Amino acid sequence: YKVIVTTCAASGQLRLLGWRRGSFTHVLVDESCQALEPEVLVPLTFADRDTSVVLCGDPRQLGASVRSTAARMMGLGASLQERLMDRVGGGFNNAGEDEGEDEDEGADEGAGG
């Protein structure tokens, strides 16, 4: 196997060297929950139907840092991995977890009172 290790942004330079979609059998993005969605899309441009793509990261750790208010308002505050996890199911949703815990606590108080 040939392995290339690069940052998401620097992987775009491979285009200048002639690498194209389907050039890789696997694309692995480590710490993808810390990367902004557009940044993760750069290495994914090398994937085709036969490419295995793996996004690795823990959404409960440090998330993607978005400094632009406009970008945050347009939904770029969540990483691609978080967005996919929420869409597919079984994903990470802080607000949903907190709400579920509050509802359970309220039910217990009502039952005992």
Short mmCIF file of all heavy atoms in Angstrom, two decimals, residues 17-46:
data_model
loop_
_atom_site.label_atom_id
_atom_site.label_comp_id
_atom_site.label_asym_id
_atom_site.label_seq_id
_atom_site.Cartn_x
_atom_site.Cartn_y
_atom_site.Cartn_z
N LEU A 17 -0.32 17.96 -8.29
CA LEU A 17 0.62 16.89 -8.65
C LEU A 17 -0.03 15.83 -9.54
O LEU A 17 0.60 14.82 -9.85
CB LEU A 17 1.18 16.24 -7.38
CG LEU A 17 1.98 17.17 -6.47
CD1 LEU A 17 2.35 16.46 -5.18
CD2 LEU A 17 3.23 17.67 -7.20
N GLY A 18 -1.30 16.05 -9.91
CA GLY A 18 -1.96 15.14 -10.84
C GLY A 18 -2.82 14.06 -10.21
O GLY A 18 -3.37 13.22 -10.92
N TRP A 19 -2.95 14.03 -8.91
CA TRP A 19 -3.81 13.04 -8.26
C TRP A 19 -5.26 13.41 -8.51
O TRP A 19 -5.64 14.57 -8.46
CB TRP A 19 -3.53 13.00 -6.76
CG TRP A 19 -2.14 12.53 -6.42
CD1 TRP A 19 -1.00 13.27 -6.49
CD2 TRP A 19 -1.76 11.23 -5.99
NE1 TRP A 19 0.08 12.51 -6.12
CE2 TRP A 19 -0.36 11.25 -5.80
CE3 TRP A 19 -2.45 10.06 -5.74
CZ2 TRP A 19 0.35 10.15 -5.36
CZ3 TRP A 19 -1.74 8.97 -5.29
CH2 TRP A 19 -0.37 9.00 -5.12
N ARG A 20 -6.09 12.42 -8.78
CA ARG A 20 -7.49 12.67 -9.13
C ARG A 20 -8.42 11.81 -8.29
O ARG A 20 -7.99 10.94 -7.54
CB ARG A 20 -7.73 12.36 -10.62
CG ARG A 20 -6.92 13.22 -11.55
CD ARG A 20 -7.49 14.64 -11.57
NE ARG A 20 -6.65 15.52 -12.36
CZ ARG A 20 -6.09 16.61 -11.88
NH1 ARG A 20 -6.25 16.96 -10.63
NH2 ARG A 20 -5.36 17.38 -12.64
N ARG A 21 -9.71 12.02 -8.48
CA ARG A 21 -10.74 11.22 -7.80
C ARG A 21 -10.48 9.75 -8.10
O ARG A 21 -10.20 9.38 -9.24
CB ARG A 21 -12.12 11.62 -8.33
CG ARG A 21 -13.26 10.90 -7.67
CD ARG A 21 -14.61 11.40 -8.20
NE ARG A 21 -14.77 12.82 -8.00
CZ ARG A 21 -15.30 13.38 -6.90
NH1 ARG A 21 -15.69 12.60 -5.92
NH2 ARG A 21 -15.43 14.67 -6.79
N GLY A 22 -10.55 8.93 -7.05
CA GLY A 22 -10.30 7.51 -7.22
C GLY A 22 -8.84 7.11 -7.11
O GLY A 22 -8.51 5.94 -7.27
N SER A 23 -7.98 8.08 -6.83
CA SER A 23 -6.55 7.77 -6.70
C SER A 23 -6.24 6.96 -5.44
O SER A 23 -5.19 6.35 -5.36
CB SER A 23 -5.73 9.07 -6.65
OG SER A 23 -5.82 9.76 -7.88
N PHE A 24 -7.15 6.98 -4.46
CA PHE A 24 -6.90 6.31 -3.19
C PHE A 24 -7.98 5.27 -2.92
O PHE A 24 -9.15 5.48 -3.23
CB PHE A 24 -6.89 7.33 -2.04
CG PHE A 24 -5.82 8.37 -2.19
CD1 PHE A 24 -6.11 9.63 -2.68
CD2 PHE A 24 -4.51 8.08 -1.86
CE1 PHE A 24 -5.13 10.58 -2.83
CE2 PHE A 24 -3.52 9.02 -2.01
CZ PHE A 24 -3.83 10.29 -2.49
N THR A 25 -7.57 4.17 -2.32
CA THR A 25 -8.54 3.14 -1.93
C THR A 25 -9.20 3.51 -0.60
O THR A 25 -10.32 3.09 -0.32
CB THR A 25 -7.87 1.76 -1.77
OG1 THR A 25 -6.82 1.86 -0.79
CG2 THR A 25 -7.30 1.29 -3.09
N HIS A 26 -8.49 4.30 0.21
CA HIS A 26 -9.00 4.70 1.52
C HIS A 26 -8.67 6.17 1.77
O HIS A 26 -7.58 6.62 1.42
CB HIS A 26 -8.37 3.87 2.65
CG HIS A 26 -8.71 2.43 2.58
ND1 HIS A 26 -8.11 1.57 1.67
CD2 HIS A 26 -9.58 1.69 3.30
CE1 HIS A 26 -8.61 0.36 1.84
NE2 HIS A 26 -9.50 0.40 2.82
N VAL A 27 -9.58 6.87 2.40
CA VAL A 27 -9.33 8.23 2.88
C VAL A 27 -9.75 8.24 4.34
O VAL A 27 -10.90 7.97 4.66
CB VAL A 27 -10.14 9.29 2.09
CG1 VAL A 27 -9.96 10.66 2.71
CG2 VAL A 27 -9.72 9.31 0.63
N LEU A 28 -8.81 8.50 5.23
CA LEU A 28 -9.07 8.54 6.65
C LEU A 28 -8.81 9.95 7.15
O LEU A 28 -7.73 10.50 6.92
CB LEU A 28 -8.15 7.55 7.38
CG LEU A 28 -8.40 7.47 8.88
CD1 LEU A 28 -8.50 6.02 9.30
CD2 LEU A 28 -7.32 8.19 9.64
N VAL A 29 -9.80 10.54 7.80
CA VAL A 29 -9.66 11.88 8.36
C VAL A 29 -9.69 11.75 9.87
O VAL A 29 -10.73 11.43 10.45
CB VAL A 29 -10.77 12.83 7.87
CG1 VAL A 29 -10.58 14.22 8.45
CG2 VAL A 29 -10.80 12.89 6.35
N ASP A 30 -8.54 11.96 10.50
CA ASP A 30 -8.45 11.86 11.96
C ASP A 30 -8.87 13.19 12.59
O ASP A 30 -8.66 14.25 12.01
CB ASP A 30 -7.01 11.51 12.36
CG ASP A 30 -6.89 11.10 13.82
OD1 ASP A 30 -7.91 10.70 14.42
OD2 ASP A 30 -5.78 11.19 14.35
N GLU A 31 -9.47 13.10 13.76
CA GLU A 31 -9.97 14.28 14.49
C GLU A 31 -10.91 15.11 13.62
O GLU A 31 -10.88 16.34 13.62
CB GLU A 31 -8.80 15.14 15.00
CG GLU A 31 -7.88 14.41 15.96
CD GLU A 31 -8.54 13.97 17.27
OE1 GLU A 31 -9.68 14.41 17.55
OE2 GLU A 31 -7.94 13.17 18.01
N SER A 32 -11.77 14.44 12.89
CA SER A 32 -12.67 15.13 11.96
C SER A 32 -13.73 15.98 12.68
O SER A 32 -14.30 16.86 12.06
CB SER A 32 -13.33 14.14 11.01
OG SER A 32 -14.09 13.19 11.74
N CYS A 33 -13.97 15.74 13.95
CA CYS A 33 -14.91 16.59 14.69
C CYS A 33 -14.31 17.94 15.03
O CYS A 33 -15.02 18.86 15.38
CB CYS A 33 -15.38 15.88 15.95
SG CYS A 33 -16.56 14.58 15.62
N GLN A 34 -13.01 18.07 14.96
CA GLN A 34 -12.34 19.34 15.23
C GLN A 34 -12.16 20.17 13.97
O GLN A 34 -11.80 21.33 14.04
CB GLN A 34 -10.98 19.10 15.87
CG GLN A 34 -11.07 18.51 17.25
CD GLN A 34 -9.69 18.32 17.86
OE1 GLN A 34 -8.70 18.84 17.39
NE2 GLN A 34 -9.64 17.56 18.93
N ALA A 35 -12.40 19.56 12.81
CA ALA A 35 -12.18 20.26 11.54
C ALA A 35 -13.49 20.86 11.04
O ALA A 35 -14.57 20.29 11.22
CB ALA A 35 -11.63 19.28 10.50
N LEU A 36 -13.39 21.98 10.39
CA LEU A 36 -14.55 22.60 9.78
C LEU A 36 -15.00 21.77 8.58
O LEU A 36 -14.18 21.14 7.91
CB LEU A 36 -14.22 24.02 9.33
CG LEU A 36 -13.79 24.98 10.45
CD1 LEU A 36 -13.37 26.31 9.86
CD2 LEU A 36 -14.90 25.16 11.46
N GLU A 37 -16.28 21.78 8.31
CA GLU A 37 -16.82 20.95 7.23
C GLU A 37 -16.14 21.21 5.88
O GLU A 37 -15.74 20.25 5.22
CB GLU A 37 -18.33 21.15 7.11
CG GLU A 37 -18.97 20.26 6.10
CD GLU A 37 -20.49 20.28 6.16
OE1 GLU A 37 -21.05 20.77 7.14
OE2 GLU A 37 -21.10 19.79 5.20
N PRO A 38 -15.97 22.46 5.45
CA PRO A 38 -15.30 22.67 4.16
C PRO A 38 -13.88 22.12 4.14
O PRO A 38 -13.41 21.64 3.10
CB PRO A 38 -15.28 24.20 4.01
CG PRO A 38 -16.38 24.69 4.88
CD PRO A 38 -16.44 23.72 6.03
N GLU A 39 -13.20 22.14 5.29
CA GLU A 39 -11.84 21.63 5.37
C GLU A 39 -11.82 20.12 5.15
O GLU A 39 -10.95 19.59 4.45
CB GLU A 39 -11.26 21.98 6.74
CG GLU A 39 -9.82 21.68 6.92
CD GLU A 39 -9.32 22.13 8.28
OE1 GLU A 39 -10.11 22.33 9.21
OE2 GLU A 39 -8.09 22.27 8.40
N VAL A 40 -12.78 19.40 5.72
CA VAL A 40 -12.84 17.94 5.57
C VAL A 40 -13.21 17.55 4.15
O VAL A 40 -12.81 16.50 3.66
CB VAL A 40 -13.83 17.34 6.59
CG1 VAL A 40 -14.05 15.86 6.35
CG2 VAL A 40 -13.34 17.56 8.01
N LEU A 41 -13.95 18.40 3.47
CA LEU A 41 -14.36 18.07 2.10
C LEU A 41 -13.19 18.03 1.12
O LEU A 41 -13.27 17.35 0.11
CB LEU A 41 -15.42 19.07 1.62
CG LEU A 41 -16.77 18.97 2.33
CD1 LEU A 41 -17.70 20.08 1.85
CD2 LEU A 41 -17.39 17.60 2.13
N VAL A 42 -12.09 18.71 1.45
CA VAL A 42 -10.94 18.74 0.54
C VAL A 42 -10.40 17.33 0.28
O VAL A 42 -10.33 16.89 -0.87
CB VAL A 42 -9.84 19.70 1.03
CG1 VAL A 42 -8.61 19.62 0.13
CG2 VAL A 42 -10.37 21.12 1.08
N PRO A 43 -10.03 16.56 1.31
CA PRO A 43 -9.54 15.21 1.01
C PRO A 43 -10.62 14.27 0.47
O PRO A 43 -10.32 13.32 -0.25
CB PRO A 43 -9.00 14.70 2.36
CG PRO A 43 -9.66 15.55 3.38
CD PRO A 43 -9.92 16.87 2.74
N LEU A 44 -11.88 14.57 0.78
CA LEU A 44 -12.96 13.71 0.28
C LEU A 44 -13.16 13.84 -1.22
O LEU A 44 -13.80 12.98 -1.84
CB LEU A 44 -14.26 13.99 1.03
CG LEU A 44 -14.24 13.70 2.53
CD1 LEU A 44 -15.63 13.89 3.13
CD2 LEU A 44 -13.70 12.32 2.83
N THR A 45 -12.58 14.87 -1.83
CA THR A 45 -12.69 15.01 -3.29
C THR A 45 -11.92 13.92 -4.02
O THR A 45 -12.11 13.73 -5.21
CB THR A 45 -12.19 16.39 -3.77
OG1 THR A 45 -10.81 16.52 -3.48
CG2 THR A 45 -12.99 17.51 -3.15
N PHE A 46 -11.05 13.20 -3.31
CA PHE A 46 -10.30 12.11 -3.92
C PHE A 46 -11.06 10.78 -3.87
O PHE A 46 -10.61 9.79 -4.43
CB PHE A 46 -8.94 11.95 -3.23
CG PHE A 46 -8.02 13.10 -3.49
CD1 PHE A 46 -7.82 14.06 -2.53
CD2 PHE A 46 -7.37 13.23 -4.71
CE1 PHE A 46 -6.99 15.14 -2.78
CE2 PHE A 46 -6.54 14.29 -4.97
CZ PHE A 46 -6.35 15.26 -3.99
#
